[in-house]
Amino acid sequence: MSGKDRKDEGLSEEARRKAEYFEHMSYYRFNGPAGGLTTWNAENGFLEARVRGFRSGFLTGAEYKQLMQCNSLDEVKLALTDTDYGQWITTVAKGTEEKADLYAKRLMKACQDKFLAEFEYLRMHATGHMQTFLDMITYGPMIENFCKLIIALQKTDNAEEVLEELKNADPLGAYPHLNSIVAFDKADDLLTDLFDSLLVDTPVSKYFWQYFLPEMTDEDEKKEDGSHALRKFTAEVQLDIMINTLQKYLLEDMYNYSRELGGETWDIMKDLLEFEADRRTINVTVNSFGTPLNEPDRHDYERKMLYPNFGELHPDGQTILSGYGPKPGVSDFATLANEFKQKTLRFSGILQDEENYVYAMRQEEAKMFAHGFDSQSHYGCFYAFYKLKQIELGNLQLIFDTISQPADVEQKRNLFKSVTPIFE
Amino acid sequence: MSTYGVADSGWVNITDLEKDGWGEIIGCVNPQSWAALGIGLSIGLSVVGAAWGILLTGASLVGASVKSPRIRSKNLISIIFCEAVAIYGVIMSIILISKYGTGGDPEVLTCRQITEDMYFAGYGIFWAGVTVGLSNLFCGICVGVTGSGCALAHAQQESMFVKMLIVEIFGSALGLFGVIVGIIMSTDTAFP
């Protein structure tokens, strides 16, 4: 397989031999092509049908309307029992002395548990390519969990506060030995210690490896065991840049894997992932306005490293983003919008309106990923299911938060504008 | 002068087959073995088609009916269409077997003793079997793929079932065409 070399990077000799042995012994059908209309169903037909069943469980526009008309969280709970969330939400008890946001938190957790149960069902039944694909979807949350914990470790020595952070970890990216992260002290070479002992065994180690690799090229002593070279890599790395770079590597990995799978999967995933890449490009740029990363001399090297190396905006759009400087009197956002409009690049329409930009982007995302359910016999519907569910959980979070705070009708209406309809 | 068993008039000279050799490769094979092969292929390929179709439809049907149990009864029709394909194969095989005849003379049949009737019967039954088998194979796959789509669509929307069923009916007609052609092909074939 063409991806073999990349996967084996960073493994010790013994680990490499073991990986080769298991790959050699595995049945051909797990490593063969994913198949088209006539053969896909044998391996994956059941799970695809399950996912399409989950698709029919998304909240519709009418249900959102009903939720938005509720005045209290009790009414919201009642409204939700008629939807697909019914079974999960009825077990949430209000409790005696209730602060509204605690109740809201519990309701939200019930909804998240439902999604988690559905996704884990798919993952537990998956084999072969499907397993790899679904695992890759969970690497995103896993990277976020690790990075959040690293940030917590950087801030404080107190083990309990780090454990608190652990409770907020995304359960989809669960890793069995995450608890052992509290054993690390806040020290100068925290990152290298962490990588050597904990991160190198995780499935996301290759993204960390890719991230560290460029830093190691200008080392005087290049040892065979690359871990020693990491010692000079101090904890001064900017953690949010690290998170974004890791997510970018994950996106590129998914793109390459989808290309390997080929066929219908590639056709669908190409569009979805290119949208993700372009969105990441724009988001990174917009979020960097007002931070040191926006200075022109940091455009080309640092900010450009955060843009994925595929997508409609690559390479022309990305070159534009690092070419212009801030104009006096005009906000950075407006300059960006102008550049895009002149060259009629993707998202130029969305960028015109700065206030509603986030909401409009989410709308585009919902529309795009609804296409993930087109056609049959491909893995794209699983990725689309994950993404759309995240949007729906975001909608629910918004609804719960808005209703639990006492607010007047005008404010509510404004906040409810940001609820993104899915499949409409 | 005849070459490779072909007489000057252009017709195959049966008695020269043995002399020249190349014609023996097909011409001297016992026609009843061709017939037996045809019967085997007709039932074998039909069953491959039916099985393939059922596996395609069944996986989707089972998965989709977890969320929408109402589709269970109606979508079994897709499975039945696939099964019908195998039944066509069985019917055709039984018809062909009735033309198969008995083993004939206990003496070994030499090439010179094969008559035109036997050639006609042998080749006719073989190709009738292949016709039916191949057409049922592809019909089964077709009905399987459309049945899988039908199950998934029906699970989402109630009204989709009847529309998708029309597609399946057209698909299953293909197997019927094969059976009709096969029956006509093998009508007058008979081993003496």
Side-chain angles (χ1 to χ4, degrees), chain A residues 38 41 49-50 52-53 84 376, chain B residues 52 56 60 64 66-67 148 156:
Chain A
T38 51
N41 268 11
R50 288 295 271 139
R52 288 179 188 275
D84 203 49
Q376 209 186 331
Chain B
W52 200 328
L56 290 173
S60 292
V66 175
K67 191 61 193 283
S148 149
Q156 300 285 333

Side-chain angles (χ1 to χ4, degrees), chain A residues 87-351:
Chain A
Q87 253 185 329
W88 295 86
I89 218 87
T90 48
T91 58
V92 175
K94 180 162 183 173
T96 48
E97 40 76 29
E98 253 337 306
K99 282 195 288 194
D101 47 341
L102 214 51
Y103 188 28
K105 230 181 185 178
R106 270 202 246 127
L107 284 173
M108 193 62 212
K109 181 151 192 318
C111 297
Q112 279 169 340
D113 282 344
K114 172 183 185 265
F115 166 62
L116 195 66
E118 290 175 351
F119 198 82
E120 286 300 310
Y121 180 90
L122 296 174
R123 260 210 325 165
M124 291 307 130
H125 279 74
T127 57
H129 284 301
M130 173 79 85
Q131 191 181 29
T132 316
F133 195 85
L134 291 179
D135 281 345
M136 259 199 198
I137 295 179
T138 64
Y139 291 165
M142 200 186 277
I143 290 176
E144 261 198 56
N145 287 349
F146 282 136
C147 293
K148 274 195 208 155
L149 286 173
I150 292 175
I151 293 177
L153 271 176
Q154 288 271 328
K155 273 198 262 180
T156 163
D157 270 331
N158 192 348
E160 278 166 13
E161 288 184 31
V162 179
L163 276 179
E164 268 301 311
E165 189 66 41
L166 200 67
K167 287 215 192 96
N168 291 338
D170 192 340
L172 202 60
Y175 182 68
H177 306 298
L178 216 50
N179 281 348
S180 60
I181 211 168
V182 296
F184 293 91
D185 300 323
K186 171 181 174 181
D188 266 343
D189 50 355
L190 163 71
L191 214 51
T192 61
D193 262 346
L194 205 57
F195 184 78
D196 277 344
S197 26
L198 182 63
L199 293 175
V200 79
D201 289 327
T202 65
V204 294
S205 65
K206 57 183 162 181
Y207 308 122
F208 281 96
W209 194 255
Q210 262 182 302
Y211 177 63
F212 289 146
L213 214 49
E215 307 287 338
M216 296 197 308
T217 48
D218 47 353
E219 296 301 317
D220 342 337
E221 8 157 347
K222 269 247 187 118
K223 307 240 170 99
E224 276 205 348
D225 175 17
S227 61
H228 290 300
L230 285 176
R231 297 259 176 258
K232 298 206 181 153
F233 189 70
T234 65
E236 274 177 22
V237 62
Q238 287 203 8
L239 285 165
D240 43 356
I241 292 189
M242 182 169 85
I243 298 180
N244 277 310
T245 320
L246 292 172
Q247 298 278 15
K248 167 189 109 118
Y249 286 137
L250 173 62
L251 206 61
E252 288 172 2
D253 203 16
M254 285 194 85
Y255 193 71
N256 289 330
Y257 186 62
S258 305
R259 191 173 25 206
E260 253 181 53
L261 288 174
E264 193 68 35
T265 304
W266 171 234
D267 285 339
I268 302 262
M269 286 297 285
K270 185 168 190 289
D271 293 332
L272 300 182
L273 288 174
E274 288 193 345
F275 173 85
E276 274 294 306
D278 295 333
R279 193 170 73 122
R280 176 159 283 275
T281 307
I282 301 261
N283 274 347
V284 160
T285 315
V286 168
N287 289 341
S288 75
F289 291 155
T291 69
L293 197 54
N294 197 26
E295 287 153 29
D297 53 346
R298 295 184 73 172
H299 277 183
D300 254 340
Y301 181 67
E302 285 204 35
R303 197 164 75 178
K304 207 167 183 189
M305 297 295 280
L306 295 174
Y307 301 153
N309 63 2
F310 63 95
E312 263 183 52
L313 289 178
H314 168 83
D316 301 323
Q318 292 173 353
T319 333
I320 289 177
L321 288 171
S322 48
Y324 71 94
K327 295 200 177 76
V330 184
S331 80
D332 286 317
F333 198 95
T335 323
L336 178 70
N338 250 347
E339 295 275 336
F340 266 57
K341 186 168 165 184
Q342 276 171 7
K343 308 261 175 17
T344 58
L345 292 171
R346 193 177 200 173
F347 298 140
S348 54
I350 295 181
L351 286 173

